[in-house]
Amino acid sequence: DSWVVYLFDPTVLMVLSIQEIHADQEKIVKILAAGQLMQCSASVDILFLLDGSYSIGKGSFERSKHFAGKLCDALDIGPERVRVGMMQFSSTPHLEFPLDSYATKQEVKDRIKTTVFRGGSTETGLALKYILHKGFPGGRNSTVPEILIILSDGKSQGNTEIPAKQLKERRITVFAVGIKFPRWEKLHALASEPTEQHVGFAGDTAEAANGFYTTLTRSAICSTSSPDCKVESHPCERKTLETVKELAGNYVCWRGSKQQNAVRASLCPFYRWKKVFIKHPSRCFRTVCPDPCDSQPCQNGGTCVSEGLDKYYCLCPVGYGGDIHCAPKLSIECSVDLLFLMDSSAGTMLEGFLRFKAFLKRFLQTVMGQDSPMNVGVAQYDTDVKIPIEVGQHKDVFGLMKSIEALNFSGGEAQTGRALWYVAQHGFRSTPVFADVQNGLPRIVVLLTDSKSRDPVAEAAKYAREQGLFLIGIGSSFLRAELIEVTGNPKQIIIYSSPQDLLSKIPELQKRICSMDSPKG
């Protein structure tokens, strides 16, 4: 293996990738997308062997667990299909759970999460010998393919080459996945041939899952995810962090002399230790699938965002969004005062809060024209309630988008009842001079939540409705009863089944809002 040494600056450690595929960004996106879609439904026994030694450390051990859990997403786990077991090794091997313990994917992933870091020396060879003597615990006695996935930095304190060779002679397929700053030459010695296809890095789970799945499809263990998908070879680099001794220069020093009570000046070499990355050029084989955005379906300058092999959506510029392909849009023609009340609690989590922000921006880009009669504001709540964007504060979509983008997640307790009390009293205030003057427009509150309220909502919602507010609730199915309690009408709630499904609810929300402006509404 050829290698190149270059100096390491600790300030840029997190910027540099330990494994890097040399391909254009569009190709990388396709590799990652394919990695998230793959699913192996073959009959196969898979044993994870996690390095739990002190050289790995607890943080990297947690990343190993995360990688193992994510890899399970690509496996059709079941008693007759893929079975998964796990061992941890340090000074001694320890069986975490055998392959016949759990029958579903979720059970396996939940058990992986509870695995505790043990610590100790790195006796990889001892763990391999354990598997040689005991076999795959709970496996099917070699009647199905056996795959061993070793997650380690490769820094073993004993001999690993002989037991690794013996495992492969028993037709066990060995994958070696690097953690932290791996010794790639050691991992190559552990992995099955061809080693380029059986060695990976756990840093990027989607990319590593793609490499794992690609190897299984090439060896006919798993079937291809789509007949249109193909395997491509790309040059890639793998890096190892090493400490090297470097001559810093010669400096004057004082040495002893044969003469009594005498010393003499001399030049002495001065060394320093530096961290360096060693680059190992290699080749990475990855599966790439056709992208629905390849046909450029978005019009009028819209940006296509793929969602799997056959789904996509268009991010449309302002003034467009009349359909999914960014046709000139039709603005909401109803005149309303509209306040979005966004859940920013710990139960919704940062991911859910960002999802609501994306939905909100997408909705407003779709329905707001330059002369829209709609006045929009945004409030957010957890334990506290605040209205960072007053109703009618922005008349232009661009300014409104910037203000929404600046909203920050807070993460307190979800107190939806308190939030409803607050917006009923303060959400639609006019300027102080005309505080008691209303503009006569319907006042609508759209609640976006993904967590159950920690305080009562019924009385607060009733009070809000008595103040003339129309309430619309948007949330997951487990919140259905609470949203009905808030709105007082099951026809005024919108339930979404997944993050992708939320974006498809924009036309429904548009219809609900405008129904409030009609006499019937």
Side-chain angles (χ1 to χ4, degrees), residues 27-96:
K27 189 71 70 176
I28 295 295
V29 169
K30 287 188 176 185
I31 289 172
L32 298 181
Q36 293 172 333
L37 295 168
M38 293 170 168
Q39 189 78 197
C40 182
S41 296
S43 293
V44 59
D45 286 350
I46 296 178
L47 180 64
F48 287 104
L49 182 60
L50 270 61
D51 187 340
S53 66
Y54 289 131
S55 70
I56 283 288
K58 189 173 182 180
S60 293
F61 182 76
E62 291 299 316
R63 282 188 283 276
S64 297
K65 287 165 51 181
H66 175 73
F67 173 82
K70 284 292 185 181
L71 205 55
C72 287
D73 289 333
L75 305 173
D76 182 14
I77 295 175
E80 304 304 319
R81 308 302 288 173
V82 181
R83 290 189 185 182
V84 174
M86 177 177 283
M87 289 180 60
Q88 180 182 170
F89 72 93
S90 50
S91 303
T92 57
H94 175 79
L95 177 63
E96 296 292 346

Side-chain angles (χ1 to χ4, degrees), residues 246-462:
E246 180 184 67
L247 178 65
N250 293 308
Y251 295 87
V252 175
C253 61
W254 301 97
R255 296 181 181 275
S257 172
K258 293 180 180 180
Q259 298 177 9
Q260 191 174 4
N261 298 325
V263 294
R264 59 186 179 84
S266 180
L267 288 176
C268 299
F270 176 72
Y271 294 94
R272 62 184 175 189
W273 296 94
K274 298 197 75 169
K275 297 285 188 181
V276 299
F277 272 124
I278 298 178
K279 292 198 298 186
H280 302 264
S282 185
R283 294 204 71 81
C284 292
F285 293 83
R286 298 294 181 263
T287 299
V288 177
C289 300
D291 193 305
C293 291
D294 289 345
S295 61
Q296 299 180 329
C298 302
Q299 305 165 0
N300 300 308
T303 302
C304 183
V305 180
S306 61
E307 293 182 311
L309 296 177
D310 55 1
K311 294 181 181 178
Y312 68 91
Y313 65 88
C314 297
L315 293 175
C316 303
V318 175
Y320 298 90
D323 65 6
I324 61 170
H325 299 116
C326 297
K329 71 181 180 184
L330 301 174
S331 301
I332 277 186
E333 296 179 359
C334 51
S335 299
V336 294
D337 285 346
L338 181 61
L339 179 65
F340 287 91
L341 180 58
M342 292 173 57
D343 183 351
S344 182
S345 69
T348 293
M349 300 189 294
L350 175 61
E351 181 183 0
F353 181 73
L354 295 176
R355 186 187 312 135
F356 288 152
K357 279 176 61 173
F359 170 80
L360 186 51
K361 290 193 295 183
R362 188 88 168 277
F363 173 79
L364 295 172
Q365 282 179 328
T366 303
V367 304
M368 276 191 76
Q370 294 214 345
D371 301 317
S372 175
M374 182 171 59
N375 299 313
V376 178
V378 180
Q380 66 181 88
Y381 75 94
D382 50 5
T383 311
D384 298 315
V385 193
K386 56 184 178 181
I387 307 177
I389 305 172
E390 298 281 351
V391 174
Q393 178 180 333
H394 293 285
K395 288 298 182 184
D396 65 298
V397 180
F398 180 72
L400 186 56
M401 293 296 108
K402 286 184 66 176
S403 295
I404 292 172
E405 187 57 42
L407 298 178
N408 292 318
F409 178 68
S410 46
E413 187 176 74
Q415 295 194 10
T416 311
R418 180 177 181 178
L420 291 170
W421 282 109
Y422 187 89
V423 297
Q425 296 169 350
H426 307 286
F428 296 89
R429 279 184 173 177
S430 302
T431 55
V433 176
F434 303 104
D436 297 324
V437 179
Q438 300 294 337
N439 58 18
L441 298 179
R443 292 174 294 159
I444 301 171
V445 175
V446 178
L447 172 64
L448 290 158
T449 180
D450 203 24
S451 55
K452 288 191 175 182
S453 178
R454 302 299 295 272
D455 65 346
V457 299
E459 191 175 342
K462 181 182 177 184

Side-chain angles (χ1 to χ4, degrees), residues 445-513:
V445 175
V446 178
L447 172 64
L448 290 158
T449 180
D450 203 24
S451 55
K452 288 191 175 182
S453 178
R454 302 299 295 272
D455 65 346
V457 299
E459 191 175 342
K462 181 182 177 184
Y463 173 77
R465 295 195 299 269
E466 288 173 350
Q467 303 310 302
L469 302 187
F470 296 97
L471 303 180
I472 298 172
I474 301 177
S476 301
S477 57
F478 76 95
L479 292 169
R480 183 185 297 274
E482 185 172 295
L483 291 176
I484 293 174
E485 194 174 17
V486 167
T487 62
N489 185 348
K491 293 183 179 180
Q492 285 173 218
I493 70 169
I494 297 174
I495 300 297
Y496 63 91
S497 58
S498 67
Q500 292 75 23
D501 186 45
L502 175 61
L503 293 173
S504 70
K505 301 297 181 182
I506 288 176
E508 186 176 350
L509 177 59
Q510 181 179 358
K511 184 178 178 182
R512 298 284 170 87
I513 289 170

